[in-house]
Amino acid sequence: MRVLVTGGAGYIGSHTVVALVEAGHEVRVVDSLVNAHRASLDRVRTITGVDVPLHVTDLRDADALGKIFADGSFEAVVHFAGLKAVGESVAQPLRYYDNNLGSTISLLQVMERHGVDALVFSSSATVYGVHDAVDAMPLREDLPLGAVNPYGETKVQIERILTDVADADDRLRFAVLRYFNPVGAHPSGLIGEDPQGIPNNLVPYLAQVAVGRREKLLVFGDDYPTPDGTGVRDYIHVMDLADGHVAALAHLAEFPGANAWNLGTGRGSSVYEVLHAFERAVGHELPYEVTARRPGDAPVSYCDPGKAERDLGWRAVRSLDQMCADHWHWQRDNPNGYAAD
């Protein structure tokens, strides 16, 4: 299948490009490179032996995007492109609404003009909002949506746009993938997560502590109603996540309209469990300090991934130890990310 991957030079996008190529798809990437690196696709070529074309374009430029579609004869789109930092979205909400909604609307319009009716959308667990009750877990796809920050709200609104557009045209097939906490890297260590500035998430922050770029890990609260007092999240290996996109693409024809699936392990891991798993990967203890809770952090968040297994034949298979080992392999071999390239 000829597939266009938007945001394909980013963290999850580049790993999914590898999985798509290895599954036999013909892939092109469009990416503005605002939060990504051209070098990631050079390394995808090293991993796969395939030179994946990159179009450096903002999706909101409909004319430029239309030329890419006219040249590519695509059969499907996998849509990752978008801004994704929660804190930044709170400080710059208009930028997030303009970029994330505007790029998706432009993409859908160009798809319509070129007769492309299949799309896999990168959504997020943020669409579920914050559920404070531990007994509210696991999160299932039929829960009402309710984001608590502008980034999450853009995901909610895009999901609603996709539903409305699909309801108006029964030829359309949209897979909405709500994933939880992607971590890890390709086992080669050639591609991985390279956050800009201070990492917002636990594992990339731990990786930078381990490689000496950060002094210590800050544990935000150890008095939650969880087994060890720290927050619990559903972490998923980025290659399991990539495989989920390939599975969704393969099954799109069976699910007309817009349909949502959770991609996660169905199991939560605490901050301390992740810390100790990363220490095992590194081979020594890592410094940390317990500090106050962050406002808005839920004690527990993990999903029920059963619908994806039933419908798509997909489930996460990689362990927390493998996630940390692969993430450390990437960070150890690339202490400054892609900066050297």
Side-chain angles (χ1 to χ4, degrees):
M1 186 181 294
R2 293 182 300 278
V3 183
L4 179 67
V5 180
T6 76
Y11 172 44
I12 301 169
S14 60
H15 289 79
T16 301
V17 168
V18 169
L20 288 167
V21 170
E22 291 180 341
H25 296 286
E26 181 183 333
V27 180
R28 289 194 185 193
V29 166
V30 57
D31 199 305
S32 68
L33 300 182
V34 170
N35 285 317
H37 301 268
R38 189 186 299 270
S40 67
L41 294 181
D42 294 336
R43 297 185 182 198
V44 166
R45 181 177 61 245
T46 301
I47 293 168
T48 65
V50 174
D51 191 2
V52 175
L54 167 64
H55 304 274
V56 181
T57 303
D58 190 311
L59 293 184
R60 291 170 293 179
D61 186 342
D63 290 339
L65 187 59
K67 292 175 183 176
I68 296 169
F69 269 78
D71 182 52
S73 301
F74 302 113
E75 298 168 270
V77 175
V78 181
H79 181 32
F80 294 103
L83 301 173
K84 63 177 186 176
V86 170
E88 185 179 67
S89 79
V90 174
Q92 304 175 40
L94 284 178
R95 179 177 174 229
Y96 269 68
Y97 286 115
D98 176 58
N99 185 89
N100 293 5
L101 297 180
S103 61
T104 302
I105 291 169
S106 174
L107 174 64
L108 291 170
Q109 289 171 335
V110 174
M111 287 175 60
E112 181 179 39
R113 286 200 294 272
H114 290 269
V116 181
D117 58 14
L119 179 139
V120 178
F121 173 58
S122 164
S123 192
S124 166
T126 58
V127 301
Y128 295 121
V130 175
H131 293 262
D132 290 328
V134 174
D135 58 9
M137 299 300 123
L139 300 172
R140 297 183 176 85
E141 292 87 349
D142 57 359
L143 281 171
L145 304 186
V148 295
N149 56 69
Y151 161 68
E153 185 59 32
T154 66
K155 294 294 189 183
V156 170
Q157 291 192 23
I158 290 170
E159 287 199 20
R160 288 172 176 156
I161 289 169
L162 294 176
T163 298
D164 290 344
V165 171
D167 285 347
D169 186 342
D170 59 13
R171 295 171 299 177
L172 300 178
R173 295 160 291 152
F174 297 154
V176 173
L177 304 183
R178 299 172 182 162
Y179 37 82
F180 280 63
N181 295 268
V183 297
H186 190 270
S188 67
L190 288 172
I191 58 174
E193 186 170 13
D194 186 14
Q196 306 299 303
I198 300 174
N200 294 307
N201 299 317
L202 173 61
V203 172
Y205 199 103
L206 264 175
Q208 292 193 4
V209 171
V211 83
R213 288 173 61 182
R214 307 288 166 193
E215 178 186 0
K216 60 188 173 184
L217 173 70
L218 295 180
V219 177
F220 296 106
D222 64 353
D223 57 350
Y224 286 105
T226 61
D228 64 19
T230 65
V232 169
R233 298 291 181 269
D234 191 337
Y235 297 92
I236 177 173
H237 196 294
V238 68
M239 290 309 302
D240 278 332
L241 194 58
D243 291 342
H245 290 77
V246 176
L249 194 62
H251 288 82
L252 264 180
E254 303 169 26
F255 297 96
N259 296 277
W261 289 274
N262 287 332
L263 296 188
T265 64
R267 177 188 180 278
S269 299
S270 74
V271 173
Y272 284 152
E273 285 178 308
V274 175
L275 168 62
H276 298 322
F278 212 92
E279 288 174 334
R280 289 192 292 274
V282 175
H284 58 79
E285 294 184 353
L286 296 172
Y288 71 91
E289 176 186 339
V290 178
T291 186
R293 294 186 185 187
R294 290 183 300 193
D297 276 357
V300 177
S301 178
Y302 63 92
C303 77
D304 178 354
K307 186 169 181 271
E309 183 167 5
R310 293 189 300 271
D311 292 349
L312 309 178
W314 171 92
R315 66 183 179 90
V317 297
R318 294 164 176 87
S319 68
L320 178 62
D321 278 333
Q322 187 170 355
M323 298 177 210
C324 292
D326 288 342
H327 206 112
W328 173 236
H329 185 188
W330 150 257
Q331 190 74 80
R332 182 195 63 209
D333 290 358
N334 303 271
N336 295 306
Y338 293 109
D341 294 8

